[in-house]
Amino acid sequence: MKQTLQQPHIHPSANSEIETCDICHHHHLHLPMEAPADETLYRLADLYKVFGDPTRIRILYALSGGELCVCDIAELLGMTQSAISHQLRVLKQSALVKFRRDGKTVYYSLADTHVATILAQGLDHVQE
C-alpha cells in the first residue's frame, strides 16, 4: 500500500508562521545530550531572568572593563547610587558579580569569565 506524506500545517501568529506536524517520526526522538535535572533547569531559568533587565546588563557591561565602586557605576550609567546598589544586590545573589572592600569603599567586578562570555555571546546572537 502506498503511503503518502502529509504536509506540515502552518498556523499564522503575530510575527511569523509556526509549523506543526501531525505525524510522529519515532526515529527522530532523541536528545542531543542528557537533559539536566529539573533543579538545575530552574536555576538556569533564574539566571536568565537576571539577564532580563537592561539596567543589570548595563552594569555588567560597565564592570566588564574592570572593577568599579557604586558611585563610579552610578556616574557612568547616569543613575542614583541607590538604584545601582539595588541591582548589584540582585547580581551578587546570582553570583554574577563579586566584591572586595578597601577601607570604606566596596569595589565590584564580574564574578568570573563566564559572565563576560554570556554577555558577548548574547550580543552576538541578537546582532546576527
Side-chain angles (χ1 to χ4, degrees):
M1 179 160 143
K2 186 176 177 185
Q3 188 176 26
T4 59
L5 293 176
Q6 294 180 1
Q7 294 297 318
H9 295 286
I10 310 267
H11 299 281
S13 69
N15 297 322
S16 63
E17 295 180 343
I18 299 173
E19 288 190 23
T20 61
C21 182
D22 294 330
I23 301 172
C24 185
H25 304 277
H26 296 285
H27 61 279
H28 293 289
L29 297 178
H30 67 280
L31 293 174
M33 63 182 122
E34 187 175 329
D38 284 349
E39 177 61 28
T40 302
L41 293 175
Y42 286 121
R43 288 178 46 224
L44 180 60
D46 287 341
L47 175 69
Y48 283 122
K49 286 178 192 175
V50 173
F51 281 97
D53 182 277
T55 298
R56 291 192 286 262
I57 297 291
R58 291 174 67 211
I59 291 170
L60 291 172
Y61 270 111
L63 293 175
S64 68
E67 69 177 15
L68 296 168
C69 65
V70 174
C71 62
D72 290 339
I73 299 169
E75 186 176 327
L76 274 172
L77 301 185
M79 297 177 66
T80 65
Q81 290 186 35
S82 174
I84 297 298
S85 292
H86 172 74
Q87 298 301 339
L88 284 168
R89 190 174 317 113
V90 174
L91 293 168
K92 281 192 307 185
Q93 289 170 345
S94 298
L96 294 172
V97 299
K98 61 185 178 183
F99 67 95
R100 72 171 181 87
R101 290 191 184 277
D102 184 11
K104 291 185 177 187
T105 306
V106 178
Y107 292 95
Y108 293 88
S109 59
L110 297 181
D112 55 40
T113 57
H114 293 117
V115 180
T117 300
I118 292 168
L119 286 171
Q121 293 206 347
L123 186 60
D124 285 348
H125 182 73
V126 299
Q127 290 180 333
E128 285 181 342

